[in-house]
Amino acid sequence: MTLTHKFLTFFLAVSFLSCSSENEYLELTDDVTIDIDSNSDLEILAETLNLPANSFNYENVILPNHFLANGTAQEDNTPNNNPITDEGATLGRVLFYDKQLSVNNAVSCASCHDQSTGFSDVNTLSVGFNGELTARNSMVLANAKFYDNGRFFWDERAESLEEQVLLPIQDAVEMGLTLDELESKLQNEAYYSVLFTRAFGDDEISSERIALALAQFVRSMVSYQSKYDEGLAQTNNQNANFPNFTASENLGKNLFFSNRTRCSDCHDTNAFVGDRARNNGLDAVLTDEGRNDGEFKVPSLRNIELTAPFMHDGRFSTLEEVIEHYNSGVQNSADLDGRLRQGNGVRRLNLTDAEKQALVDFLRTLTDEEFIFDEKFSDPFVNNE
């Protein structure tokens, strides 16, 4: 087995000079730790992957105060046993884009979660490894870290992100592998020996470690640099008119946070995400039970402009259709969320055309181009066609 890391730690008693070799990394703490990658390991990675000489920063991203305010920080679902590390998230990034995670090497996680669309899918239903369609529209992954109850999928059947990331791999339509088959496939790749050792200290490849690394990468996908964030940073008050907004965008923002629409009751905090699955009145007679009685996970609205089609079944192709649903199309049922009710009936918003357009304009201010073009979330494979 190739030895990918050599560690030498000693206490400083005198001043010292660091070595100048391009393959050495020197970290100064109370000790000195010298981490040396052998040339052969670097060559192994370079044959397949386009990774930076120094890892991208995943673990020490400083999120701005305006983003973490309004309860966002309290929504963090990162477990104590799986904090984000640079090496773990890098491994997760490679796994996320590797088509070997499907039985016939046809699809990867990224096939249904495209960075350019906020890690969503433009198709109403996603296409699995053998051409069959999934039962529901692919959910967005951005800001998955900020959902306190930690459940995932539209029906919230996965109790954690670590559980969620392995289920599509095993799904008979999506990727079609058993976990034993997954481990065997990855053990045949020399670059995974290097990456697992970097992330976990040795080259053991297990489904548990795969889950940890994938979850780290997904949690690192935090979008916080939109036009809305710029305005909030300038005012520190979501209810104030933002100086960088148009009149229509400010009108839409004020409507979004108003008691009249109550949009922010379900899309809360600066992550614009819900607290649990809810029935949002799509159907009076249920065709999909969701988690229970037509309840579905409330996704983040970050980058919503890019993530069409919308809803668990992709029934709406535009934001205008989504707004009109809440304005006039909510269907009554016994389990309709109370925020959409008025007495025994359905609450109608009675928005004007200008107000509906203003809400759409506001939602578009949540688009974060820095995020969708960030190289550290992109495909690292040299050839991945």
Side-chain angles (χ1 to χ4, degrees):
M1 181 183 73
T2 303
L3 182 60
T4 60
H5 289 71
K6 299 178 182 178
F7 296 97
L8 176 62
T9 302
F10 57 91
F11 288 102
L12 283 176
V14 295
S15 299
F16 60 90
L17 295 174
S18 64
C19 299
S20 59
S21 169
E22 64 180 3
N23 294 325
E24 296 186 356
Y25 171 71
L26 189 64
E27 178 184 353
L28 302 183
T29 59
D30 293 336
D31 317 316
V32 174
T33 302
I34 301 176
D35 179 2
I36 305 175
D37 271 314
S38 69
N39 286 329
S40 61
D41 289 340
L42 297 174
E43 291 168 358
I44 287 170
L45 295 178
E47 287 175 2
T48 308
L49 301 166
N50 181 18
L51 296 175
N54 296 314
S55 176
F56 287 119
N57 178 21
Y58 297 100
E59 65 181 277
N60 291 316
V61 176
I62 306 300
L63 298 174
N65 290 334
H66 76 262
F67 176 81
L68 293 174
N70 194 28
T72 308
Q74 287 70 47
E75 292 292 316
D76 192 337
N77 57 47
T78 305
N80 291 332
N81 68 342
N82 195 30
I84 297 171
T85 65
D86 291 343
E87 296 80 8
T90 298
L91 170 58
R93 177 189 174 202
V94 174
L95 290 164
F96 187 85
Y97 283 96
D98 195 342
K99 293 181 180 179
Q100 290 190 95
L101 270 66
S102 62
V103 65
N104 60 352
N105 302 334
V107 297
S108 66
C109 302
S111 299
C112 300
H113 299 281
D114 182 359
Q115 182 181 8
S116 68
T117 59
F119 291 99
S120 67
D121 193 345
V122 297
N123 297 306
T124 301
L125 303 175
S126 295
V127 180
F129 70 90
N130 64 354
E132 293 184 41
L133 298 179
T134 56
R136 296 181 179 132
N137 181 251
S138 290
M139 293 202 75
V140 299
L141 296 182
N143 291 53
K145 176 179 181 178
F146 295 106
Y147 190 61
D148 179 55
N149 78 17
R151 291 181 173 272
F152 291 91
F153 293 112
W154 283 107
D155 57 10
E156 298 196 336
R157 65 186 182 275
E159 295 186 358
S160 70
L161 189 53
E162 284 73 12
E163 179 182 334
Q164 184 275 327
V165 293
L166 293 180
L167 293 179
I169 298 170
Q170 302 170 79
D171 188 89
V173 171
E174 295 186 57
M175 301 175 88
L177 277 176
T178 68
L179 295 182
D180 287 342
E181 290 170 336
L182 171 64
E183 293 171 1
S184 296
K185 287 184 77 173
L186 301 192
Q187 285 165 0
N188 293 326
E189 297 294 347
Y191 59 87
Y192 277 124
S193 176
V194 176
L195 293 172
F196 274 83
T197 301
R198 285 181 171 184
F200 297 107
D202 61 64
D203 67 352
E204 177 190 353
I205 295 175
S206 67
S207 58
E208 291 82 6
R209 286 180 167 184
I210 292 168
L212 293 173
L214 277 169
Q216 285 186 42
F217 179 61
V218 173
R219 283 199 184 92
S220 76
M221 298 175 183
V222 179
S223 175
Y224 61 94
Q225 298 179 84
S226 67
K227 186 175 183 179
Y228 172 80
D229 295 293
E230 294 172 5
L232 186 58
Q234 291 175 37
T235 63
N236 282 317
N237 182 358
Q238 68 183 20
N239 296 316
N241 282 336
F242 288 1
N244 64 325
F245 272 23
T246 66
S248 182
E249 289 166 348
N250 271 316
L251 173 60
K253 178 179 66 66
N254 295 336
L255 283 167
F256 184 92
F257 291 111
S258 71
N259 288 330
R260 181 179 173 192
T261 68
R262 302 186 68 182
C263 300
S264 60
D265 285 5
C266 287
H267 294 280
D268 195 15
T269 77
N270 289 326
F272 292 90
V273 70
D275 58 348
R276 63 176 180 82
R278 295 183 181 276
N279 181 322
N280 65 337
L282 291 173
D283 299 296
V285 178
L286 299 179
T287 57
D288 188 334
E289 289 285 337
R291 181 172 182 180
N292 186 46
D293 298 323
E295 295 178 338
F296 294 93
K297 181 180 170 72
V298 181
S300 172
L301 297 182
R302 292 274 175 170
N303 298 297
I304 190 71
E305 176 185 13
L306 307 175
T307 64
F310 306 106
M311 306 298 170
H312 68 278
D313 54 6
R315 68 177 64 189
F316 299 136
S317 59
T318 67
L319 286 174
E320 286 80 2
E321 290 177 311
V322 173
I323 297 301
E324 192 56 55
H325 165 71
Y326 289 109
N327 182 57
S328 64
V330 172
Q331 301 297 300
N332 203 355
S333 65
D335 299 290
L336 178 67
D337 189 83
R339 306 174 210 201
L340 300 175
R341 288 191 176 282
Q342 186 169 2
N344 294 324
V346 174
R347 185 167 59 90
R348 300 301 184 194
L349 302 184
N350 298 315
L351 298 169
T352 67
D353 288 344
E355 288 171 331
K356 286 183 280 188
Q357 184 60 51
L359 280 168
V360 171
D361 291 343
F362 167 65
L363 291 175
R364 288 174 175 155
T365 71
L366 301 178
T367 300
D368 180 353
E369 293 191 2
E370 295 290 333
F371 175 75
I372 63 172
F373 291 111
D374 195 330
E375 185 182 358
K376 74 179 183 181
F377 301 127
S378 68
D379 186 350
F381 283 86
V382 175
N383 296 302
N384 198 10
E385 300 178 354

